[in-house]
Amino acid sequence: MTTTQHTSVELDIDGMTCASCAARIEKKLNKVDGVTASVNYATEKARVLTDAPIPVADLIAVVEQAGYHAALPDPERPEVDHAAQLRTRVIVSAVLAVPVIALAMVPGWQFAGWQWVSLALTIPVYVWAAWPFHRSALVNARHGATTMDTLISLGTTAAFGWSLFALFFGHAGMIGYTHPFELTLQRGTGEGSIYFEAVAAIVTFLLLGRWFEARSKAKAGEAVRALLQLGATEATLLRGGVETRVPVDFLKPGDEFVVRPGEKIATDGEVVDGDSAVDASMVTGESVPVEKKKGDTVFAGTVNGEGALEIRVTKVAGDTTLARIIRLVKEAQEQKAPTQRFVDVFARYYTPAVTVVALLIFLIPPLFVGGEWSQWLYRACVLLIIACPCALVISTPVSIVAGLTALAKRGVLVKGGAHLESIARLKALAVDKTGTITEGKPQVQGVEIVGRVVDSEVLRIAAAIDVHSSHPLAKAIVEHAHNRRIDFPRGENYQARSGRGAEGVIEGHAYFVGNHRFTHELGVCSEEIERRLSAIESKGQSVIVVGHRPHGDCAGEALGVIEVGDTVRTNAAEAIRALHAAGITSVVMLSGDNQRTADSIAKQVGIDEARGDLLPADKVAAVKALREKHGSVGMVGDGVNDAPALATATIGIAMGGVGTDAAIETADVTLMTDDLGKIAETIRLGRRTLGIIRFNITFALALKAIFLVLTLIGHASLWLAILADTGATLLVVANSLRLLRSPNSHAVG
């Protein structure tokens, strides 16, 4: 079997004015052989996956041919402030539009020749201020495509063109010409109808909407910029007892640097001297500083408290936890949710359909029904303006970006809008026990002798085998042996038995270390051992049996039982209640521990169901069964041992992702701390995001439908069209940005 290697390329896109532009670029890129591209209007990014090496210049050329600009991301390149550019056009347009609108609305102000003054003031608005709309329409027209800007350009051009006709060829240009301001379809005969105020108002209000939209997009991306600014630029390098200030990029693994009170920690590392409280809120979402001492891990971008720390570098600047978080947040914002993809497809076909309908409205009635051309032109213009789906296409991406940003501020990383929508639809949740419900830091509670050895010998054998393992129970045994100053060798021929234990050879003898299930599989679980194991497990403790492994003529035997206990997280019960309150109907704990231990833990924290004695494959099967029963199921684990189950679930959620590469890379959602309560918070915010998206789409479509009907029957005006389109856009954007308010959990529900 051959595996295709994909190469990922990110491009900055400039020149897009609406979601239809993004759809057009995406379509062009996807026509290239071996290319799968996704273009996000909200972030102005394109992510391109290629099956074979394709020069980046070729990809940029495709975008340029479509009429837009593309470039590789460059941190040194100043970011284009689209909001500032639009602000200038809005101000100029508004200054010129106000007198035009005032003259049209107040007949008493219509002095001799006022219509020509209106023309002079409207020309710069139509030509310069509205140029982004016209340019986009022309670019797409050359490629046989239409966008929202096509509707705007056609509508304003029709109104402006007809007004010029009425001035130069009709009687509207006569000195002394006046007209009343009416919200009607017609001001008289066609030759006397001028709509300069409509042109000026349309351009000004739509530019205002675009400016507001640009500001909202920038605001929704503030999380990434805040993270980028979070990192330190310099560090105090300590070498040979001499301190030197150097750029962060100068640091390499093994170097030591000093962090004084109030300074940012330059890169990920290990504390070698000193102790202090470190504020990690921007990385983990925790508001309370965490005490750090010798041997503890610290992360780039966190802020040192009142103590001085000496830190050894473990990761260079580009590989730090902060750097990974930044990459993940950016990638997540660039991915499209299913709802957004639907809206993009809708807009792609909706715009040309509306253009054709408007053309038919202008041509058919005057030719076959009768009536003034100006009347039907007016209706066509109203249709073009009211039909612009600005509110529809911007509502979803802004909501998704705002939701992802809000969660990032809370120390929750979601890998894209699709996962955010899936979170909102969760009905059941499977949770691992160790490290999720419990602290994941078990300790040896006691040793019971079964054979003819002393307890120290049992610990010596177990530690010699478990020293090879990274499992929490194994680490607890090794640590306990060290604390008791028991010397032990490193076992040979180490073999891990997934979900059961491990085997190894010590000083020429074969031994095993394993759970209750493993003793049955090996055939060494006597009635006496079974009684002892049951007694320990009834207390909710884990049992580790140590003994001779059966081999050859040796039947094997148990030598002792190590009792290991883990501590339930202090907020576990509260977190489970919060999950139920958030709409999770079933919380199921999946554990490799025995059923008695699993039941005991589940009862303590209020979990609905516990399943013990599970191997990794059993956990996968359990998750599949839950999916068949509930449809949408989340799996919570550490992102390493539970990787298969995490991948099987609708949503994989990794706990404690700070410093854990596998957790960040494996899961769909990563909690940067071990706070189980953040899961319910994430679900609530996901549902709130989906609710806002649904409201925005429903509102935008309903408003368009109402006004389209009013336009067709002759009861809508350009002014109502302008106010409806701009107002709807402002409303849905403002509604989406509510997700960025208070980072506290109570603001989410």
Side-chain angles (χ1 to χ4, degrees):
M1 183 179 76
T2 58
T3 302
T4 303
Q5 297 293 323
H6 294 279
T7 301
S8 178
V9 179
E10 180 184 279
L11 296 175
D12 290 337
I13 307 296
D14 188 37
M16 294 189 295
T17 57
C18 65
S20 298
C21 298
R24 170 169 172 72
I25 298 170
E26 189 174 287
K27 183 178 180 181
K28 290 289 185 181
L29 286 170
N30 284 321
K31 285 184 177 180
V32 180
D33 291 338
V35 167
T36 302
S38 176
V39 181
N40 194 311
Y41 170 57
T43 60
E44 299 182 319
K45 301 282 187 182
R47 181 155 302 272
V48 184
L49 293 178
T50 62
D51 296 340
I54 298 177
V56 175
D58 291 353
L59 299 175
I60 293 176
V62 172
V63 178
E64 298 282 349
Q65 290 169 7
Y68 306 89
H69 303 289
L72 288 170
D74 183 2
E76 302 297 327
R77 184 173 57 245
E79 188 174 344
V80 179
D81 191 347
H82 297 292
Q85 295 177 351
L86 283 168
R87 183 174 61 247
T88 302
R89 293 185 185 271
V90 169
I91 294 173
V92 173
S93 181
V95 169
L96 296 174
V98 167
V100 175
I101 296 171
L103 288 172
M105 293 180 67
V106 185
W109 293 356
Q110 296 173 1
F111 54 86
W114 70 273
Q115 67 270 45
W116 295 99
V117 174
S118 295
L119 170 62
L121 295 174
T122 305
I123 288 175
V125 175
Y126 171 74
V127 175
W128 178 79
W131 175 242
F133 305 124
H134 301 320
R135 179 188 176 280
S136 176
L138 291 171
V139 168
N140 284 279
R142 285 200 299 267
H143 297 89
T146 58
T147 68
M148 290 184 294
D149 292 334
T150 303
L151 304 180
I152 297 169
S153 181
L154 285 176
T156 54
T157 298
F160 186 76
W162 189 268
S163 299
L164 289 180
F165 173 81
L167 279 179
F168 289 98
F169 300 100
H171 62 266
M174 298 175 59
I175 301 299
Y177 165 83
T178 61
H179 69 66
F181 179 77
E182 300 175 348
L183 292 175
T184 59
L185 296 179
Q186 182 174 329
R187 291 171 174 158
T189 63
E191 295 81 4
S193 303
I194 60 173
Y195 301 104
F196 291 129
E197 82 284 2
V199 174
I202 289 170
V203 173
T204 301
F205 278 101
L206 290 179
L207 283 174
L208 181 64
R210 290 286 174 89
W211 173 72
F212 192 83
E213 180 185 314
R215 287 197 62 189
S216 68
K217 287 163 55 180
K219 186 175 182 179
E222 284 178 358
V224 174
R225 286 190 291 274
L227 288 170
L228 288 169
Q229 297 171 359
L230 186 62
T233 57
E234 291 185 332
T236 304
L237 179 65
L238 183 63
R239 185 173 292 172
V242 180
E243 297 182 1
T244 308
R245 293 290 290 178
V246 299
V248 171
D249 294 339
F250 188 82
L251 298 175
K252 60 183 183 296
D255 285 343
E256 295 183 2
F257 63 98
V258 176
V259 184
R260 291 185 169 79
E263 291 184 343
K264 293 179 180 179
I265 295 175
T267 189
D268 290 6
E270 179 184 342
V271 178
V272 295
D273 191 28
D275 59 85
S276 182
V278 174
D279 180 3
S281 57
M282 275 299 294
V283 178
T284 66
E286 291 182 302
S287 58
V288 180
V290 180
E291 293 291 334
K292 297 291 183 180
K293 60 184 183 303
K294 184 177 180 179
D296 289 340
T297 301
V298 292
F299 306 101
T302 55
V303 181
N304 186 29
E306 296 181 354
L309 296 174
E310 187 177 324
I311 300 169
R312 181 182 296 113
V313 177
T314 57
K315 292 182 180 178
V316 296
D319 296 327
T320 64
T321 299
L322 177 62
R324 294 199 309 274
I325 292 173
I326 293 171
R327 286 196 296 269
L328 278 176
V329 174
K330 292 176 71 175
E331 289 172 5
Q333 292 184 345
E334 292 161 13
Q335 295 178 15
K336 293 183 180 180
T339 306
Q340 185 177 346
R341 289 194 290 269
F342 160 75
V343 172
D344 288 350
V345 172
F346 176 84
R348 189 182 305 170
Y349 296 100
Y350 171 82
T351 302
V354 169
T355 304
V356 171
V357 171
L359 185 62
L360 293 175
I361 287 176
F362 173 56
L363 295 175
I364 301 300
L367 292 175
F368 298 98
V369 180
E372 295 289 341
W373 284 91
S374 63
Q375 176 185 359
W376 295 106
L377 174 66
Y378 187 86
R379 291 191 185 188
C381 291
V382 173
L383 178 68
L384 291 172
I385 301 304
I386 194 62
C388 291
C390 302
L392 178 65
V393 298
I394 194 60
S395 62
T396 300
V398 171
S399 298
I400 291 294
V401 171
L404 294 171
T405 301
L407 286 170
K409 289 181 177 180
R410 294 161 167 81
V412 180
L413 299 183
V414 181
K415 293 183 177 179
H419 300 310
L420 187 59
E421 288 195 10
S422 296
I423 290 170
R425 297 185 175 95
L426 287 180
K427 299 297 184 183
L429 197 68
V431 297
D432 183 42
K433 179 181 77 71
T434 305
T436 303
I437 301 300
T438 64
E439 293 287 352
K441 299 176 182 177
Q443 295 180 340
V444 174
Q445 305 295 328
V447 180
E448 293 191 14
I449 304 305
V450 179
R452 296 163 293 188
V453 297
V454 296
D455 63 348
S456 59
E457 180 63 13
V458 173
L459 285 169
R460 191 181 81 93
I461 295 170
I465 296 176
D466 282 341
V467 72
H468 298 280
S469 175
S470 60
H471 193 280
L473 297 182
K475 290 182 176 180
I477 291 173
V478 173
E479 182 180 0
H480 188 72
H482 282 307
N483 292 338
R484 288 191 51 179
R485 302 183 183 279
I486 298 174
D487 293 327
F488 56 86
R490 291 181 67 87
E492 300 175 343
N493 298 331
Y494 174 82
Q495 294 184 21
R497 302 303 182 191
S498 182
R500 301 172 178 85
E503 300 174 2
V505 176
I506 305 170
E507 298 166 346
H509 298 281
Y511 294 94
F512 75 90
V513 178
N515 58 18
H516 196 157
R517 177 176 182 168
F518 200 26
T519 63
H520 281 283
E521 292 182 0
L522 295 176
V524 298
C525 191
S526 65
E527 291 184 5
E528 173 64 17
I529 295 174
E530 181 70 29
R531 183 186 63 78
R532 294 192 184 192
L533 296 183
S534 298
I536 296 172
E537 291 170 348
S538 66
K539 300 185 295 182
Q541 307 290 353
S542 297
V543 293
I544 305 296
V545 182
V546 183
H548 287 289
R549 181 176 60 83
H551 64 282
D553 296 332
C554 178
E557 66 172 328
L559 299 176
V561 180
I562 301 175
E563 179 182 343
V564 184
D566 197 359
T567 305
V568 175
R569 295 187 182 277
T570 55
N571 70 333
E574 182 183 353
I576 298 302
R577 287 194 298 269
L579 286 170
H580 286 137
I584 299 298
T585 58
S586 178
V587 181
V588 181
M589 187 174 72
L590 308 179
S591 176
D593 282 340
N594 64 87
Q595 189 63 49
R596 292 190 188 92
T597 300
D599 288 338
S600 177
I601 298 295
K603 185 177 181 181
Q604 291 182 51
V605 300
I607 286 176
D608 302 303
E609 182 184 355
R611 301 182 188 181
D613 299 309
L614 300 181
L615 300 174
D618 298 326
K619 290 185 179 182
V620 171
V623 172
K624 287 181 177 178
L626 288 172
R627 289 194 67 169
E628 291 178 2
K629 181 179 180 180
H630 298 281
S632 186
V633 176
M635 172 67 194
V636 187
D638 61 9
V640 182
N641 299 329
D642 299 306
L646 288 169
T648 304
T650 311
I651 290 291
I653 304 172
M655 290 275 293
V658 172
T660 307
D661 295 343
I664 293 180
E665 298 299 328
T666 305
D668 304 311
V669 178
T670 301
L671 310 183
M672 301 309 295
T673 63
D674 293 324
D675 186 359
L676 190 63
K678 287 187 177 292
I679 299 176
E681 186 178 345
T682 301
I683 293 171
R684 289 198 301 271
L685 198 143
R687 289 180 177 166
R688 188 179 177 204
T689 302
L690 189 59
I692 285 176
I693 290 173
R694 287 171 174 171
F695 171 83
N696 287 344
I697 291 175
T698 302
F699 173 78
L701 289 176
L703 190 67
K704 296 300 177 187
I706 292 171
F707 275 87
L708 285 174
V709 172
L710 291 175
T711 300
L712 293 175
I713 63 177
H715 290 287
S717 69
L718 272 176
W719 276 100
L720 290 177
I722 296 165
L723 294 174
D725 183 71
T726 304
T729 301
L730 295 179
L731 180 61
V732 299
V733 170
N735 191 37
S736 300
L737 293 179
R738 290 192 300 118
L739 293 166
L740 294 174
R741 292 178 183 173
S742 173
N744 300 321
S745 62
H746 62 75
V748 179

